[in-house]
Amino acid sequence: MSGQSLYPRLEPLLAQVQKPIQYVGGELNAQVKAWDDVAVHWALMYPDAYEVGLPNQGLMILYEVLNERPDALAERTYAVWPDLAALMREHGVGQFTVDAHRAVRDFDVLGVSFATELGYTNLLEALDLAGVPLHAADRDETHPVVVAGGHAAFNPEPIADFVDCAVLGDGEQVVGDVTDVVAAWKEQGRPGGRVELLARLARVDGVYVPRFYAVSYGPDGAIAAVARTRDDVPVRVGKRTVMDLDEWPYPKTPLVPLAESVHERMSVEIFRGCTRGCRFCQAGMITRPVRERTITGIGSMVDQGLRATGYEEVGLLSLSSADHSEIGQVAKELADRYEGTNTGLSLPSTRVDAFNVTLANELSRNGRRSGLTFAPEGGSERIRRVINKTVSKEDLVRTVTTAYANGWTQVKLYFMCGLPTETDEDVLEIAELAVEVIRAGREASGRKDVRCTVSIGGFVPKPHTPFQWAGQASAETIDHRLRVLRQAINADRRTGRSIGLRYHDGQPGVVEGLLSRGDRRVGRVIERVWREGGRFDGWSEHFSYERWTAAAAAELAPLGLDLDWFTTRERTQDEVLPWDHLDSGLDKEWLWDDWQDALSEEEVADCRWTPCYDCGVCPTNGTEIQIGPTGRSLLPLTVVGR
C-alpha cells in the first residue's frame, strides 16, 4: 500500500550507523500530512548530506509552498551516507523521506534541487535505492516524475538520461503548475500514460523535458543541432521569474535541525538577482533582474521566523546583500527592534565598495561580533577588470584597515584562481595584498593579533555567463599557482603567521567543469563513476579524481572525445552550446560581446544605477528591476522575544 512508513524496518538499522539522528525527522516546523487526503505527493531532495541540505533555503521554500496546498503534500529526502546505504540494500529498505519515512518510489514527483553539479552521482544513488529505473526512458506511469531544479538545471544535459524534466528559474509558482498538471492527469485516469503526462508538463512555462529534444553531433564532436521531436513543445524553454517577493514570504516557519548543520541561523532572502555583472558568476546572470523585498516585508519575515524557530541570528541573504537600496535602514531598524535581546544580524559577505562601519556595527549591535568577509575575487587590478569586479587595491586596503581600526580582528578575503587570461603574477598579487592588509591593520589598530584568512577557490566556467566560451585552467595549472602563492605568503614570517591560507586543489574543479558544460554524452561518464562507487563528490574524503578520469577516458574515447575537450578547450563564437535551447533571458550576442570586453579588460557598470546595456533579460521575460527606496519604516514590536 502506497504511503506506508518504512520506519519499523529502518529503525533497527540506525543503531549501526554514524549520526543516526539525521534520518529520524521530527524537526521543529516539519510537516506530515495524511497520504490519502491529497491528490499529488512530492518528495523534495537535496542531493547531499542532511547537515548540508536541511538549511537550504530553496528546498525549505518549496516544502512550505506545496504543503500549504490542500491537494498536495511534500516531504524531504537527503543523500544517504554509504554506511546506511549498504544496510538498506542488505535489508531491502528503499530511499525514504525523513518526515514520515515513506518510500520515495511511492511519490508522484521527485524534485531534486542541484546547487552544484557534484551532486549528480548522489541522484543516481537515490534513484537506485528507491527502486526507480536510472534511465528516464525505462520508467512507466507507476514511477515518480524526476524533476531537476536549482542553478545547475540551466544545463541539465549531462543528466538528461536520468531526469524526466528540468525547471528553469524560480520555483515558487511553477511547482503549483506542475501539481495542477499531475492532479488533472491522475483524476482523468492517467490518459496516454507517462508520455502524455510529460507532454503536458513540457507545455508548462519553465519546464524542459529532454526526451522531446533530439541532439545531433557534427564530425568535429560539437553539437550540430538540437531539434524538437514534437510540435507541441517550445523550440526554446524560458525561465520562470517571481516578480513580487513580498507576495512570497517563505519560509514562514523555517525548519530547525535536530543534528548540527552547516548554518545555525534563520535566514531571510532580502532580494533576488544581481546586475553587478561579474563575468564569472552564473548565479548573478541567471537570476536577473534584481527584485528587492521591501523593508516591511523583511521585518515581517524576521519577526515571524524568530518566533517560529528560537534562533538568535538572522542571515540577510542575497548575492550581494549590502547592495539592497535600504540596507542601512534595514540593519538599523532591525537592530533597534531587537535592542536588549541576543538577536544578531549577519551578511554572507560584503562587497568592498559597499562596506561601511556604521552598517557593520548595526549588524552586530545585539549579537556577537563575528569576522568580516570580503570577496575581491581577483588578485590584481588587471584581472579584476577582466572579471568586472571593480575595486582598486587602495580601496581594499583602506576598507579592511578601517575594519581593524574599529575593533575587528579577523577578516576573510575570498579569491579565485584559474580565471581567464590569469598569470602567475596576478595570483602572486594576492600575497602582496594580504601582507599589506596585515601591516596596515596592525598600524591602524595598534594590535599585533589581527588576522587575515585568504580563501581560494578554483574558477569553473559556467553556462549562461560571458565566460561560457573560456578554456578552463588545468588542475596542474591551479595547483602550481597555489604552491607559488603559499610560498609567497610564507616568505616573511613576520606577516605570514598572521595570514591563513585555505584552498582546494584543482582536481574537483576539473570534474565540476566537465559536468557544468557537458552535453548528453557526459551522462555515461556519470553513470560509470556511480557504478564504480562514486558518491558525495563534493566531499574531499569521498571524491576520487582517478575514478572520474578513468571513467571519462573509457566512455569518451570511443566517441573521439576526452576530458580536455569539455574543460580546457576554448569554444568558438558559432559553436552550438549544449544549453543554447534553454533561455535564461540573456542574449547570446550580448554575452559574446561581454566576453570580448573581458579580453580587452573593459568594465561594465551596474544597470541598477546606469542606463540599460541590453543584456536581454527584461524584454525577453517581461520583467523589470525592482528596487527602493520605498519610503517605509519598521515599527517597533509591541512584544519582543519569544
Side-chain angles (χ1 to χ4, degrees):
M1 180 177 173
S2 292
Q4 293 297 298
S5 174
L6 298 177
Y7 198 70
R9 296 164 56 202
L10 173 68
E11 186 179 22
L13 309 181
L14 297 182
Q16 305 173 57
V17 302
Q18 292 186 328
K19 295 184 180 179
I21 196 170
Q22 65 190 305
Y23 304 116
V24 302
E27 301 93 346
L28 181 63
N29 300 323
Q31 302 183 49
V32 175
K33 297 172 72 172
W35 186 267
D36 293 333
D37 288 353
V38 304
V40 181
H41 311 90
W42 281 77
L44 298 174
M45 181 180 190
Y46 193 87
D48 207 327
Y50 173 93
E51 63 201 77
V52 178
L54 185 133
N56 181 260
Q57 195 83 344
L59 206 72
M60 222 183 284
I61 289 169
L62 300 185
Y63 179 72
E64 278 195 28
V65 168
L66 286 164
N67 278 319
E68 282 189 359
R69 289 182 61 125
D71 62 344
L73 66 75
E75 298 187 11
R76 297 162 294 126
T77 187
Y78 304 102
V80 173
W81 287 107
D83 58 352
L84 181 58
L87 290 170
M88 288 166 64
R89 287 191 169 95
E90 180 183 346
H91 294 273
V93 177
Q95 180 82 19
F96 56 88
T97 60
V98 297
D99 295 291
H101 298 95
R102 290 160 170 155
V104 166
R105 193 194 187 288
D106 290 346
F107 286 76
D108 299 303
V109 185
L110 171 59
V112 189
S113 180
F114 289 103
T116 169
E117 298 83 1
L118 293 175
Y120 289 163
T121 51
N122 282 353
L123 167 65
L124 300 196
E125 175 75 342
L127 291 173
D128 187 63
L129 285 170
V132 175
L134 287 189
H135 296 109
D138 296 331
R139 299 173 197 145
D140 59 33
E141 56 267 30
T142 69
H143 297 116
V145 175
V146 181
V147 183
H151 290 175
F154 275 85
N155 177 28
E157 294 300 279
I159 52 171
D161 288 343
F162 314 120
V163 301
D164 296 293
C165 313
V167 168
L168 308 185
D170 298 336
E172 289 94 333
Q173 294 165 324
V174 73
V175 293
D177 296 341
V178 170
T179 300
D180 291 340
V181 168
V182 174
W185 175 76
K186 290 178 68 176
E187 186 178 4
Q188 294 161 11
R190 306 173 188 254
R194 191 177 188 87
V195 172
E196 172 60 20
L197 173 59
L198 293 176
R200 293 184 185 188
L201 290 172
R203 295 192 286 272
V204 174
D205 288 344
V207 178
Y208 167 57
V209 181
R211 74 184 295 161
F212 299 139
Y213 297 80
V215 181
S216 57
Y217 303 93
D220 61 350
I223 294 173
V226 178
R228 295 179 296 170
T229 59
R230 298 175 60 116
D231 293 335
D232 58 350
V233 300
V235 175
R236 298 188 79 208
V237 179
K239 72 172 182 178
R240 295 291 289 264
T241 304
V242 171
M243 281 309 299
D244 189 343
L245 293 188
D246 278 3
E247 290 184 358
W248 298 88
Y250 297 91
K252 299 174 182 176
T253 54
L255 293 160
V256 179
L258 292 176
E260 184 179 358
S261 67
V262 293
H263 298 302
E264 300 285 345
R265 61 173 178 247
M266 193 271 287
S267 298
V268 173
E269 183 184 26
I270 63 173
F271 71 86
R272 194 173 291 180
C274 183
T275 46
R276 283 283 191 169
C278 301
R279 293 172 173 131
F280 57 83
C281 183
Q282 184 189 46
M285 293 289 172
I286 63 178
T287 59
R288 296 179 176 204
V290 172
R291 292 145 285 149
E292 289 186 353
R293 203 180 297 278
T294 63
I295 185 172
T296 48
I298 294 167
S300 176
M301 288 188 68
V302 169
D303 178 40
Q304 185 169 1
L306 289 175
R307 292 175 188 273
T309 62
Y311 279 126
E312 292 185 338
E313 182 181 350
V314 179
L316 303 177
L317 302 187
S318 75
L319 292 173
S320 182
S321 294
D323 282 342
H324 191 287
S325 62
E326 296 176 309
I327 188 62
Q329 184 184 354
V330 167
K332 181 183 185 304
E333 294 186 7
L334 284 174
D336 288 345
R337 177 178 275 191
Y338 296 100
E339 186 82 57
T341 73
N342 292 322
T343 304
L345 307 171
S346 64
L347 304 184
S349 66
T350 309
R351 285 185 62 98
V352 171
D353 51 359
F355 173 82
N356 64 76
V357 171
T358 302
L359 171 62
N361 281 329
E362 294 292 0
L363 291 170
S364 60
R365 192 203 308 176
N366 299 319
R368 63 184 177 86
R369 174 177 279 195
S370 57
L372 294 172
T373 301
F374 300 101
E377 311 288 1
S380 68
E381 288 190 27
R382 186 197 74 80
I383 205 70
R384 290 195 290 275
R385 288 194 298 272
V386 171
I387 64 178
N388 204 43
K389 189 87 173 189
T390 312
V391 59
S392 70
K393 179 179 180 180
E394 290 72 24
D395 286 343
L396 179 60
V397 173
R398 186 185 311 116
T399 297
V400 177
T401 302
T402 300
Y404 287 138
N406 282 272
W408 275 269
T409 59
Q410 173 67 43
V411 170
K412 180 178 179 181
L413 301 178
Y414 181 80
F415 298 90
M416 285 187 292
C417 181
L419 290 160
T421 78
E422 181 186 271
T423 65
D424 288 6
E425 287 67 34
D426 293 310
V427 175
L428 286 171
E429 285 201 38
I430 297 173
E432 296 175 19
L433 195 57
V435 168
E436 191 162 340
V437 159
I438 290 296
R439 287 175 176 162
R442 288 174 177 173
E443 182 177 345
S445 66
R447 305 173 59 145
K448 294 289 187 182
D449 62 344
V450 296
R451 284 192 57 78
C452 172
T453 299
V454 173
S455 182
I456 311 285
F459 168 67
V460 178
K462 295 285 184 176
H464 306 282
T465 71
F467 289 165
Q468 64 184 0
W469 289 278
Q472 183 176 352
S474 68
E476 294 76 19
T477 298
I478 297 288
D479 292 345
H480 161 72
R481 289 182 181 156
L482 290 172
R483 279 195 302 273
V484 298
L485 174 61
R486 186 171 62 247
Q487 291 166 0
I489 287 175
N490 293 330
D492 186 342
R493 292 192 60 188
R494 291 171 296 177
T495 52
R497 64 175 179 269
S498 297
I499 301 170
L501 179 61
R502 296 178 181 172
Y503 60 89
H504 297 287
D505 62 42
Q507 294 179 346
V510 172
V511 173
E512 186 181 341
L514 168 70
L515 303 178
S516 296
R517 293 193 293 171
D519 55 40
R520 294 187 183 182
R521 295 170 292 187
V522 172
R524 64 193 71 194
V525 180
I526 299 170
E527 183 173 348
R528 187 179 186 118
V529 167
W530 170 76
R531 291 193 183 281
E532 294 180 358
R535 314 280 190 276
F536 289 96
D537 288 299
W539 296 70
S540 57
E541 60 266 43
H542 292 276
F543 175 78
S544 168
Y545 188 62
E546 292 71 24
R547 183 159 49 215
W548 277 99
T549 53
E555 296 293 340
L556 298 177
L559 305 175
L561 305 172
D562 58 19
L563 187 58
D564 288 345
W565 195 88
F566 286 101
T567 55
T568 58
R569 178 180 66 93
E570 186 169 316
R571 278 65 167 168
T572 60
Q573 182 178 7
D574 58 355
E575 180 171 336
V576 177
L577 302 174
W579 52 90
D580 277 351
H581 58 300
L582 305 176
D583 188 3
S584 63
L586 294 160
D587 181 73
K588 190 177 180 182
E589 186 175 334
W590 176 82
L591 285 171
W592 176 264
D593 289 344
D594 204 37
W595 169 226
Q596 299 309 299
D597 285 345
L599 296 176
S600 302
E601 301 173 19
E602 296 179 24
E603 297 159 324
V604 176
D606 189 326
C607 64
R608 267 173 292 193
W609 307 299
T610 62
C612 171
Y613 45 68
D614 299 323
C615 74
V617 168
C618 291
T620 299
N621 296 326
T623 56
E624 61 183 2
I625 291 173
Q626 292 182 343
I627 59 174
T630 61
R632 304 179 191 176
S633 296
L634 291 182
L635 297 174
L637 297 176
T638 53
V639 179
V640 177
R642 289 165 282 281

